[in-house]
């Protein structure tokens, strides 16, 4: 099989980035790249994405795309670093415009035009991109956010935050534009894929009783054992569970810096007149 997948785990944010490529042509894509960010000091770093790009170089891969599954609330995207070093074009679901329209006023982002133009390519559900001899199929899976997009390549689907490992459950739905009923239907769409379909997750938090991080599962495993959406759990039960659970969750530690950067495709806001870049912390809005 020409599809190859290499996972890169970023433990500070519990995020998994992927380098995927077609071995027949050495054309590659990066999925959900992470920029290192220290919130205490405001300093950025590229150690995580450096390691991923070093592997791509070692394998003589040409990176065509940076695929974002959504505008993440828990880490800053390293898509601009990937673009600078490889020329890769940034891709996200077309409904990112909904997210931009919500957060533009929250962050007083006067530089942002909420039409998705910060990204190179917006994908609608069912559209596809070439990856050498392979195809990347876009599968809209909203619910966690309105713009969540899963990417199917051969027998693998990269589901973002839509699902976690079966012993951990599903994504929260209490961010602006999130909706538990929509998430349930998106998950059911994924679970209608062939049972052997591999699902690659964007996060793992080591569920109680498990000592190792894991980020690959299957449709069959999710249907049989997911804490929140296994076979037999209906939509109403899921929505009630998700809403009650979400009401008790804290905001992600990096949601304020992450979202204002990620709706700009990983770019920071423009520098102020003094040449310094600032991130905004809206008070009492989230």
């Amino acid at each position: 099989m020409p599809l190859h997948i290499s996972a890169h785990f970023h433990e500070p944010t519990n995020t998994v980035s992927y380098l995927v490529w077609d071995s027949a042509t050495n054309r590659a894509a990066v999925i959900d790249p992470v920029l290192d960010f220290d919130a205490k000091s405001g300093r950025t770093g590229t150690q995580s994405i450096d390691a991923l790009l070093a592997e791509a170089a070692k394998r003589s891969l040409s990176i065509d795309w940076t695929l974002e599954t959504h505008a993440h609330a828990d880490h800053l995207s390293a898509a601009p670093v990937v673009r600078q070093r490889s020329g890769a074009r940034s891709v996200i679901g077309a409904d990112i415009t909904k997210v931009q329209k919500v957060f533009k006023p929250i962050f007083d982002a006067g530089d942002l035009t909420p039409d998705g133009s910060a990204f190179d390519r917006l994908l609608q559900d069912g559209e596809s991109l070439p990856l050498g001899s392979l195809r990347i199929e876009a599968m809209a899976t909203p619910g966690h956010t309105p713009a969540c997009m899963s990417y199917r390549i051969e027998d693998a689907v990269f589901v973002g935050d839509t699902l976690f490992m079966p012993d951990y459950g599903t994504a929260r739905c209490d961010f602006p534009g999130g909706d538990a009923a929509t998430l349930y239907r998106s998950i059911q769409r994924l679970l209608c894929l062939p049972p052997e379909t591999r699902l690659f997750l964007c996060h793992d938090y080591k569920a109680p009783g498990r000592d190792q991080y894991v980020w690959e599962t299957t449709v069959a495993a999710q249907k049989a054992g997911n804490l929140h959406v296994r076979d037999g759990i209906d939509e109403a039960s899921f929505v009630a569970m998700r809403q009650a659970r979400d009401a008790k969750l804290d905001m992600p530690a990096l949601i304020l810096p992450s979202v204002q950067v990620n709706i700009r495709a990983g770019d920071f806001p423009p520098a102020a007149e003094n040449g310094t870049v600032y991130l905004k912390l809206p008070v009492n809005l989230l």
Side-chain angles (χ1 to χ4, degrees):
M1 181 179 294
L3 174 63
H4 291 265
I5 301 166
S6 176
H8 291 253
F9 186 65
H10 186 253
E11 190 164 4
T13 61
N14 295 91
T15 303
V16 193
S17 303
Y18 296 96
L19 174 66
V20 301
W21 69 95
D22 169 31
S23 61
T25 63
N26 278 6
R27 309 308 297 190
V30 174
I31 302 175
D32 292 333
V34 177
L35 182 73
D36 296 286
F37 179 74
D38 179 40
K40 298 185 294 296
S41 67
R43 299 196 71 86
T44 64
T46 60
Q47 299 94 322
S48 178
I49 193 60
D50 286 346
L52 187 152
L53 293 174
E55 179 179 0
K58 182 178 179 180
R59 297 182 181 278
S60 300
L61 303 179
S62 298
I63 303 174
D64 294 329
W65 311 105
T66 297
L67 308 174
E68 301 283 7
T69 54
H70 61 296
H72 306 272
D74 40 34
H75 69 269
L76 283 66
S77 172
V81 179
V82 183
R83 174 202 290 278
Q84 180 184 25
R85 299 190 192 173
S86 71
R89 289 167 286 176
S90 59
V91 179
I92 201 166
D95 282 339
I96 187 61
T97 57
K98 297 178 181 178
V99 180
Q100 290 175 324
K101 287 172 184 175
V102 168
F103 283 102
K104 177 182 169 76
I106 290 176
F107 291 113
D108 191 29
D111 63 291
L112 176 69
T113 302
D115 60 0
S117 59
F119 298 83
D120 295 310
R121 181 74 180 267
L122 303 183
L123 290 182
Q124 300 283 353
D125 180 50
E127 285 192 289
S128 65
L129 297 170
L131 188 68
S133 65
L134 306 174
R135 301 295 296 181
I136 303 168
E137 177 190 349
M139 296 181 63
T141 48
H144 173 58
T145 79
C148 288
M149 186 69 76
S150 296
Y151 299 102
R152 185 181 185 183
I153 311 172
E154 299 285 282
D155 71 329
V157 185
F158 300 86
V159 301
D161 290 11
T162 301
L163 282 165
F164 297 131
M165 290 301 292
D167 59 2
Y168 204 86
T170 58
R172 65 193 297 167
C173 300
D174 59 327
F175 297 152
D179 182 76
T182 301
L183 179 64
Y184 182 87
R185 295 164 197 161
S186 293
I187 292 171
Q188 296 309 309
R189 183 182 186 193
L190 291 170
L191 299 185
C192 286
L193 295 171
E196 66 276 10
T197 301
R198 296 180 292 164
L199 304 178
F200 291 87
L201 317 179
C202 189
H203 296 287
D204 188 56
Y205 301 96
K206 287 197 297 193
R210 176 156 54 82
D211 295 327
Q212 294 185 336
Y213 292 111
V214 187
W215 43 78
E216 179 181 348
T217 181
T218 65
V219 167
Q222 293 284 5
K223 292 180 70 173
N226 187 286
L227 289 176
H228 300 162
V229 290
R230 63 186 177 273
D231 283 348
I233 295 179
D234 63 19
E235 182 176 315
S237 300
F238 174 82
V239 170
M241 176 282 302
R242 192 67 264 173
Q243 290 177 343
R245 182 177 174 85
D246 290 349
K248 300 175 183 178
L249 296 177
D250 290 333
M251 284 286 104
L254 294 182
I255 185 171
L256 293 175
S258 294
V259 171
Q260 62 188 295
V261 168
N262 294 339
I263 60 175
R264 294 177 167 96
D267 286 327
F268 279 70
E273 291 183 4
N274 64 2
T276 300
V277 172
Y278 294 93
L279 294 172
K280 297 179 179 179
L281 301 180
V283 177
N284 296 328
L285 284 181
L286 295 185

